[in-house]
Structures are given as structure tokens and as C-alpha cells.
Amino acid sequence: MDPLRTLWETFFDGESMREALPEMLTVGLPNTLILAVTAALLGSALGIVLAVAGISRTRWLRWPARVYTDIFRGLPAAATILLIGVGLAPLGMQVWGPNPYPLGILALSLIASAYLGEIFRSGIQSVEATQLEAARALGFSWREAMRRVIIPQGIRRILPAWVNQLIALIKDSSLVYFLGLLASQRELFRIGQDYAANTGNQSALLLAGLFYLALTVPLTHVVNWIDRRLRHGRPAAGLTDDPDDLDLALPGAAGGNQR
């Protein structure tokens, strides 16, 4: 058989995609978003704690934060998910029953917190030291200065990196299928895998990949837009966001500086 025809029938079969589409929309897509967004929020909360502990002058705060970060950044995501999902399964059985879904969220949150902690730390340390000195001169304690002045500025500066981590979590959510989710808890990749196994056709997996692209590509452009806004600020009325077109918007630029 023609190799191109085989490739087309294996990965681009419209009937197989139409069969998998309803379940991907109603089950896979919501679960993928729940896993990624919940892990991003929990990971952000823990990441801020790790960032503050990582820059602390207290050794017993700084060292555990660095060890935690090194471990969860160094382990493969699949290994972390299996360690949490299988290792804590007996505890999970006592708390919420035979449901691996919360353990999957916990594993993704721990992974995200290690990366986000470093992102938050770099953002906090990028704020000029004079900002902290000025806040202390106004009577703020170190804790108040960090909470009211330094951390808000650092978070604003790392927004593009935070969105990039959300993109990574959307893709890493596909690894939660290792834990054996219930049929109603399956994410996009698991549904595509099940349809591929049942039909012998890989088109459902390609459809799952298209869903991931539909989620991550717009977020990538959001990252670029946020980065531009943070670097150049909001354009004034009548000006353009594109730096290449600024010369057209400057007074006297048109007409070759006529006198």
C-alpha cells in the first residue's frame, strides 16, 4: 500500500476523529483544564513560599527550600506523578477513597511549585534593592516591605514566565493517566489513547494533539503580548504596538522632516 495513503488513513481518518470529538469536548478538555489550572494556582501559592524561604537569611528556611526545589526540578514529571500517586495512595484511600484524581493534582502542583518558586525568586530579586531600603525608611518592617512593595513588583515582572509554566502544566497533565483515572476523569490524551486502542486507528490521538495546540498556541501569544507590554508599556493614543512602525507615528516622520 502507498505509504502516504497508510499515513493518511492511520492519523487523519475523519470518522475516527468525529467519534472521539464529543467525549474530548465534554470530558477530556474540562479535566485537562482542571488539572492544569488547579495545579498552577496551588503551585503558585507554594512557589511564593519557596521563593521567600529561598532568599531568607535564615539557614533553616533557605536550605530546605533549595533541597525541595532541586529534587522536584530534577525528577522527571512521570516519576514524580508515580511516586505521589502510588506512594500516597493508601493515605488517599483514607481521605477521599479510591480516587487518584486529587493525587494527580497534588503531584502536578509539587512539580509546578519547584519551577514557580525559582521564577518568583528571580522576579523578587530583580526588584532594585533601593525599593526595599525606601520601604524600610518609611517605617515598614522587612515582612511588610516584602508583602506590600517587593513581591507585587516581582510577580508583575514574571507574568510571562508564569504563563509559560501554565503551558507546561497543560502538557504535563497528559501524564496523570499513569494513575488509572476513572472514565469520567480522563484527560485529552487518555481519551485519545483509549479510542486508538479500541479502533486500531491513531486519529484520535492526533485530535488530542490538536486540542493541546489549540490551548497552548494562544497562550504563547499571550505571553509575547504581556512581555511586550511590560517592556514598552502601554502605547500612547495614536501610536502602534509594533516597534517597527514607531517612525510612522512620530511627529515630523512623514514627509521627510519638512521645514
Side-chain angles (χ1 to χ4, degrees), residues 42-251:
L42 295 176
S44 296
L46 182 55
I48 292 177
V49 175
L50 289 171
V52 174
I55 61 177
S56 173
R57 296 179 181 178
T58 306
R59 188 178 303 174
W60 64 269
L61 285 176
R62 187 173 64 252
W63 286 7
R66 291 182 177 177
V67 171
Y68 175 98
T69 300
D70 289 341
I71 290 175
F72 283 101
R73 290 180 70 190
L75 285 174
T80 301
I81 290 171
L82 284 174
L83 284 172
I84 300 298
V86 177
L88 297 182
L91 178 61
M93 287 283 291
Q94 298 177 6
V95 177
W96 47 69
N99 182 5
Y101 201 77
L103 291 176
I105 292 177
L106 175 61
L108 290 175
S109 301
L110 295 178
I111 296 169
S113 66
Y115 289 95
L116 289 171
E118 286 298 286
I119 291 171
F120 284 128
R121 183 179 64 83
S122 63
I124 292 171
Q125 291 182 326
S126 71
V127 178
E128 296 77 7
T130 53
Q131 297 276 348
L132 180 60
E133 295 170 1
R136 296 299 300 274
L138 291 173
F140 288 100
S141 66
W142 184 87
R143 183 178 299 178
E144 288 176 329
M146 290 295 293
R147 182 168 59 89
R148 296 177 179 272
V149 179
I150 305 301
I151 292 179
Q153 293 186 64
I155 290 176
R156 180 176 179 270
R157 296 182 181 188
I158 57 87
L159 279 177
W162 188 92
V163 178
N164 275 329
Q165 187 58 37
L166 176 60
I167 293 173
L169 281 171
I170 290 174
K171 293 184 289 186
D172 285 346
S173 67
S174 63
L175 299 175
V176 178
Y177 83 92
F178 287 140
L179 303 182
L181 299 176
L182 302 176
S184 60
Q185 298 171 338
R186 293 176 300 167
E187 31 66 46
L188 287 168
F189 179 78
R190 182 60 182 178
I191 291 176
Q193 191 180 48
D194 287 346
Y195 273 95
N198 291 334
T199 63
N201 190 283
Q202 307 300 314
S203 299
L205 277 174
L206 178 63
L207 180 61
L210 294 177
F211 269 98
Y212 285 111
L213 284 176
L215 291 172
T216 57
V217 170
L219 284 174
T220 303
H221 290 288
V222 169
V223 169
N224 295 335
W225 180 81
I226 292 175
D227 188 55
R228 273 201 313 273
R229 292 294 295 270
L230 293 179
R231 287 178 183 273
H232 304 293
R234 186 174 181 176
L239 295 183
T240 176
D241 278 338
D242 189 353
D244 297 332
D245 294 338
L246 286 178
D247 57 334
L248 300 178
L250 293 174

